[in-house]
Amino acid sequence: MAARFKDLALDAVDHQATADWWCTALGYSRRLTQPGHEPPPPQWPVPIHDPRGSGPLIWVNPVPEPKRVKNRMHLDVWGDTAELLALGATLIRRHDARHDWDVLADPEGNEFCVFPPPAGPRIPLTRR
């Protein structure tokens, strides 16, 4: 084995706002600073995580340039396209006879695919 999956990284000009957007969209939260450690400066990358422990850690990294071309790698999510559009996503391509998913972009323009949620009981965003 040459490599093992660790985290995802997402670039954004406004990495703080993009981290907040993805937290809202995915039900994630910002990873808290360890006790006894200083909080990182606001210009540092923002780690966001799934509080249920099932999703990967995502680092939202600050970059100086806006996105200009199609992503070579992207996220696939189960979700509700209308809800994501209401949060500020942009529709890139609607599902059709060939594709059973929608392609959206987050407020920074990073594309992601939205698949209808699998059949069965809906998974709550927060623990009870």
Side-chain angles (χ1 to χ4, degrees), residues 27-78:
Y28 269 43
S29 57
R30 288 174 179 241
R31 190 173 70 181
L32 300 175
T33 304
Q34 297 292 328
H37 291 85
E38 291 291 318
Q43 66 270 22
W44 282 19
V46 177
I48 62 174
H49 71 107
D50 182 348
R52 298 172 307 268
S54 62
L57 179 70
I58 300 173
W59 288 90
V60 185
N61 300 314
V63 295
E65 71 283 346
K67 184 181 160 304
R68 289 184 170 54
V69 298
K70 183 182 182 305
N71 297 19
R72 296 292 302 261
M73 184 180 295
H74 64 268
L75 301 178
D76 284 350
V77 302
W78 284 301

Side-chain angles (χ1 to χ4, degrees), residues 2-56:
R4 190 177 69 190
F5 182 81
K6 182 181 178 296
D7 303 325
L8 293 173
L10 183 66
D11 293 345
V13 173
D14 188 346
H15 69 295
Q16 296 289 340
T18 300
D20 291 339
W21 190 88
W22 279 105
C23 282
T24 301
L26 294 173
Y28 269 43
S29 57
R30 288 174 179 241
R31 190 173 70 181
L32 300 175
T33 304
Q34 297 292 328
H37 291 85
E38 291 291 318
Q43 66 270 22
W44 282 19
V46 177
I48 62 174
H49 71 107
D50 182 348
R52 298 172 307 268
S54 62

Side-chain angles (χ1 to χ4, degrees), residues 77-81 83-84 100 102 114-123:
V77 302
W78 284 301
D80 184 297
T81 295
E83 289 181 31
L84 291 161
D100 62 350
D102 295 327
V114 181
F115 292 80
R122 187 172 171 149
I123 300 169

